[in-house]
Amino acid sequence: MTDIVAPEPTSEQAVLIARVRRMMLIAGLTSALAVVVVLIAVGYRLYRGEGSTTAAVTDITATLPKGARIVSTGVAGDRLVVTLDIGGVTEIRTFDARTLKPAGKLKFVSEP
């Protein structure tokens, strides 16, 4: 067997090889920086102090006026929406979906 010996590169080839190595180093560092940025973004989303998605079970009793009837319920964004019929008057009550605290009340009445 004979060993194949690579000839020494010319000066132009050496400059070209050095340029390619420099570009490969820049591309590698850019890729590594991009991976680090993505990992930091994912970690921030997972561990920021907004609270856990699994909330503790809470029992809340909401009192309704006498004769009130729940017509419908729904979720809009981070709000729980309850539509009530109170003696012919329609009322919409909204609650915060996370804490179940009242967020607002909208009453509809007919013009006389």
Side-chain angles (χ1 to χ4, degrees), residues 36-85:
V36 168
V37 166
V38 167
L39 290 177
I40 288 173
V42 168
Y44 174 76
R45 290 284 190 144
L46 287 176
Y47 296 110
R48 72 177 170 184
E50 192 173 286
S52 175
T53 57
T54 57
V57 177
T58 56
D59 294 330
I60 296 178
T61 303
T63 57
L64 299 176
K66 189 168 237 162
R69 183 175 68 89
I70 296 176
V71 176
S72 69
T73 61
V75 177
D78 61 346
R79 300 278 190 232
L80 174 67
V81 181
V82 179
T83 305
L84 303 172
D85 180 21

Side-chain angles (χ1 to χ4, degrees), residues 5-23:
V5 178
E8 285 292 319
T10 64
S11 64
E12 291 176 359
Q13 291 173 337
V15 169
L16 182 63
I17 290 171
R19 185 180 297 161
V20 169
R21 284 183 180 164
R22 188 171 38 247
M23 288 190 304

Side-chain angles (χ1 to χ4, degrees), residues 91-112:
E91 184 175 304
I92 297 175
R93 295 186 182 185
T94 57
F95 301 89
D96 185 88
R98 293 185 184 174
T99 62
L100 297 179
K101 291 183 181 177
K105 186 187 303 189
L106 177 62
K107 189 180 286 192
F108 297 96
V109 292
S110 299
E111 285 186 7

